[in-house]
């Protein structure tokens, strides 16, 4: 039943003292926060630790969050800032072993090819400048609006649009060189 509670009501109930409900918020956002952290270059164990740090910070600062603003944008802003702090403290651990979703294709060969292409896309994403990589992940993995991405990245809407355009263009060129353009187009159209 708690998964049906509207987000703003859930947040207010947590702030008012119903601390057990925080686990509902964690369940709603844990995969997306983890995905952002992995997409920014964190290894699996680091992404787990950084996600935990993100939720600790969310819990601590939830009462000071500006009411009425996008909660999801606020969550992603915290995750991105924690990752940036982590990257400043130590060199990022880039991995090509990105977890992939299972694909319901006809043959094992097709599933393997799709999995390899997704890994290649993630490898190519890692080669993009951080700004391009981040806006692409926020837009296409978490389906955020330009305004929410602008809030998270401290960019204007125009800068977000520009970074998305340039990031897609750069990724497209990289994929053309690798010969995997069709899979790229399926993911980033």
């Amino acid at each position: 039943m708690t998964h049906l509670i509207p987000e703003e009501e859930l947040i207010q109930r947590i702030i008012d003292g119903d601390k057990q409900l925080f686990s509902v918020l964690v369940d709603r956002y844990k995969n997306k926060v983890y995905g952002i952290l992995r997409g920014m270059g964190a290894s699996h164990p680091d992404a787990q630790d950084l996600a935990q740090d993100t939720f600790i910070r969310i819990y601590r600062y939830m009462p000071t969050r500006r009411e009425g603003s996008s909660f999801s944008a606020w969550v992603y802003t915290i995750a991105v800032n924690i990752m940036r702090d982590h990257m400043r403290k130590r060199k990022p651990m880039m991995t090509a072993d990105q977890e992939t979703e299972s694909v319901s294709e006809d043959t094992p060969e097709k599933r393997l090819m799709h999995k390899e292409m997704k890994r290649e896309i993630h490898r190519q994403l890692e080669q993009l400048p951080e700004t391009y990589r981040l806006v692409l992940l926020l837009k296409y993995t978490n389906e955020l609006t330009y305004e929410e991405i602008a809030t998270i990245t401290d960019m204007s809407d125009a800068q977000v649009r520009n970074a998305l355009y340039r990031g897609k263009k750069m990724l497209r060129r990289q994929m053309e060189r690798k010969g995997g353009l069709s899979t790229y187009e399926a993911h980033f159209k």
Side-chain angles (χ1 to χ4, degrees), residues 29 33 54-55 58 70-80 152:
Y29 286 96
V33 167
T54 299
F55 288 109
I58 289 166
S70 169
F71 184 73
S72 62
W74 184 68
V75 168
Y76 300 138
T77 300
I78 291 172
V80 167
I152 292 168

Side-chain angles (χ1 to χ4, degrees), residues 168-180:
K168 286 192 294 187
K169 189 175 178 180
M170 188 178 285
L171 185 59
R172 180 184 182 95
R173 278 196 310 264
Q174 288 175 200
M175 292 304 294
E176 283 174 343
R177 283 193 294 261
K178 290 286 186 179

Side-chain angles (χ1 to χ4, degrees), residues 3 14-15 20 29 33 36 40 63 70-71 86 92-93 103 106 119 128 135 148 152 160 163 181:
H3 64 281
I14 293 167
I15 291 170
Q20 296 85 347
Y29 286 96
V33 167
I36 285 289
M40 290 181 71
S70 169
F71 184 73
H86 174 73
M93 302 289 288
V103 180
D106 296 336
R119 282 189 180 153
L128 295 177
V135 295
E148 290 171 323
I152 292 168
V160 168
L181 189 57

Side-chain angles (χ1 to χ4, degrees), residues 85-109:
D85 290 346
H86 174 73
M87 289 169 66
R88 275 192 287 273
K89 290 177 189 170
R90 101 182 221 215
K91 282 192 167 186
M93 302 289 288
M94 299 291 192
T95 64
D97 297 327
Q98 302 288 330
E99 293 188 26
T100 59
E101 301 171 7
S102 63
V103 180
S104 58
E105 297 280 339
D106 296 336
T107 65
E109 293 83 12

Side-chain angles (χ1 to χ4, degrees), residues 46-58:
D46 284 345
Q48 288 180 319
D49 291 345
L50 295 170
Q52 185 174 21
D53 292 346
T54 299
F55 288 109
I56 290 169
R57 193 169 293 175
I58 289 166

